[in-house]
Amino acid sequence: MRRGLAIFLLTLVTIVIFLVHQVYTLLTLLVEDGSADAIHSAEIPAPNSPLIDKMPQYIPKIIHQTYINDSVPALWREAQRSCVDLHEDYEYKMWTDAKSRELVATEYPWFLNTFDNYSQPIQRADAIRYFVLAQFGGIYIDLDDGCNRRLDPLLSYSAWVRRTAPTGISNDAMGATPQHPFFLTVIESLRAYDKDWGLPYITVMYSTGPLFLSVIWKKYMSSGRNVGEGASGGRVRILMKDEYNRFPWSFFSHHQGSSWHGKDARFIFWMGSHWMMLTIMGFLLAGVVGVGAWWAWNRALLLGQQRRSKRREGGIWERAVGWSWRRGGKGGYELTERHEV
């Protein structure tokens, strides 16, 4: 019994270690707040402050956005115009589906097959934003993000992304210098994460969306490359919630968006709002499974012991009487050998 218990516990520990290893990066994201690389309010001059002109500029003055074609829906035109009107001295690039594919086909042909075969259009919209930042640099902004003030202070970092809830970073507003090592790492990782997870929402989030970007960001920090400021620096700074869109001095204003979310997304959001209940249920289920596995293991050991005991008893009886039997035809038995005792 002790040997059986030891084998069972060793097997259980091995399975747990394997599962933890598989999701280790996701688990570490739960405690990662990005504070070590945060862009603090004290670093950012007030809108129209003369201090802005004294800040260095590393990120080029380019605004990137994406849509199916050049006809942006009325729902997002106000947000789009707010960014364009505030930045007349910036180059504006609208990446339509046709232009996005042309860029990938011309500059990144190794990715074209993956790009064409994404099951969800939003995956191509996600992917192209990483490629244009890696290729040209500049600032990418989702169409449902309006500009609340000029973005000039954000040009003073080699790369930045924004913090999101409940954990990780988002891909709706980002900036970088051309060929920044973080975004090169991101585009190099896209093919490895191109997997179908059954639910469209999970597939998008973990193949090209914010969860994918957060995992690559966490691995990038662990690699030791998240260092260095300036035009050639590798550090990625984090725009926190207050600086993002909470106040009049924040950089962005949020408009209605997430048009690609479906029923599965609502289910995931429901899970997020009931995470405590689901966590307790998960522990209870794990306990039931563990007890059931332990019972099945003990049952198998007991049956094995009973079979071995019966075989030993049969051998002792045969030696005692000196007879050996075998199964004969029609379900009977016949004497095969008899020893005088």
Side-chain angles (χ1 to χ4, degrees), residues 126-188:
D126 278 337
I128 196 61
R129 64 191 68 181
Y130 308 135
F131 281 100
V132 299
L133 288 179
Q135 179 74 12
F136 304 101
I139 295 176
Y140 170 82
I141 309 171
D142 264 0
L143 282 173
D144 57 354
D145 275 315
C147 292
N148 200 43
R149 57 175 288 185
R150 282 184 62 89
L151 305 177
D152 296 347
L154 296 178
L155 304 179
S156 300
Y157 307 100
S158 60
W160 58 269
V161 291
R162 81 166 183 90
R163 180 85 166 84
T164 190
T167 186
I169 58 177
S170 182
N171 65 354
D172 58 354
M174 309 174 287
T177 55
Q179 303 297 301
H180 191 280
F182 173 64
F183 283 99
L184 292 178
T185 301
V186 170
I187 64 175
E188 289 170 359

Side-chain angles (χ1 to χ4, degrees), residues 2-3 45 53 56-57 66 79 82 90 92 95 102 161 206 214 216 221 254 258 270 284 294 312 319 336:
R2 291 180 180 177
R3 181 171 177 270
D53 295 332
Q57 179 194 326
T66 64
S82 68
Y90 281 52
Y92 181 80
W95 293 95
E102 181 182 0
V161 291
Y206 200 48
S214 297
I216 303 304
M221 289 192 293
H254 191 68
S258 302
W270 177 87
L284 291 175
W294 173 240
R312 286 196 298 268
R319 289 193 296 272
T336 60

Side-chain angles (χ1 to χ4, degrees), residues 138-338:
I139 295 176
Y140 170 82
I141 309 171
D142 264 0
L143 282 173
D144 57 354
D145 275 315
C147 292
N148 200 43
R149 57 175 288 185
R150 282 184 62 89
L151 305 177
D152 296 347
L154 296 178
L155 304 179
S156 300
Y157 307 100
S158 60
W160 58 269
V161 291
R162 81 166 183 90
R163 180 85 166 84
T164 190
T167 186
I169 58 177
S170 182
N171 65 354
D172 58 354
M174 309 174 287
T177 55
Q179 303 297 301
H180 191 280
F182 173 64
F183 283 99
L184 292 178
T185 301
V186 170
I187 64 175
E188 289 170 359
S189 303
L190 282 166
R191 287 194 297 184
Y193 282 79
D194 180 25
K195 295 180 175 63
D196 188 344
W197 295 93
L199 294 174
Y201 182 81
I202 296 298
T203 297
V204 170
M205 291 291 285
Y206 200 48
S207 64
T208 60
L211 185 55
F212 157 77
L213 189 66
S214 297
V215 169
I216 303 304
W217 168 61
K218 187 63 180 176
K219 290 183 176 181
Y220 180 79
M221 289 192 293
S222 300
S223 71
R225 291 178 290 169
N226 190 43
V227 294
E229 304 283 359
S232 59
R235 189 180 183 190
V236 180
R237 301 297 298 272
I238 307 300
L239 188 68
M240 305 305 275
K241 296 176 182 178
D242 288 355
E243 290 70 36
Y244 170 56
N245 72 351
R246 285 187 173 180
F247 298 98
W249 46 264
S250 300
F251 285 102
F252 300 98
S253 57
H254 191 68
H255 298 246
Q256 183 178 348
S258 302
S259 58
W260 61 275
H261 289 175
K263 293 181 179 179
D264 62 319
R266 291 193 288 272
F267 173 68
I268 298 297
F269 294 151
W270 177 87
M271 291 177 63
S273 62
H274 296 82
W275 66 271
M276 180 63 76
M277 177 190 69
L278 294 174
T279 300
I280 295 173
M281 291 177 63
F283 278 113
L284 291 175
L285 179 60
V288 171
V289 171
V291 171
W294 173 240
W295 178 87
W297 178 266
N298 278 317
R299 184 67 177 169
L301 290 177
L302 180 60
L303 291 175
Q305 291 173 351
Q306 290 176 346
R307 292 193 190 97
R308 289 192 295 271
S309 178
K310 288 181 179 179
R311 284 197 294 269
R312 286 196 298 268
E313 291 174 358
I316 293 172
W317 184 83
E318 287 178 358
R319 289 193 296 272
V321 301
W323 294 352
S324 295
W325 300 82
R326 74 178 179 187
R327 184 179 293 274
K330 299 181 180 180
Y333 291 85
E334 59 183 14
L335 182 65
T336 60
E337 188 177 2
R338 179 173 179 173

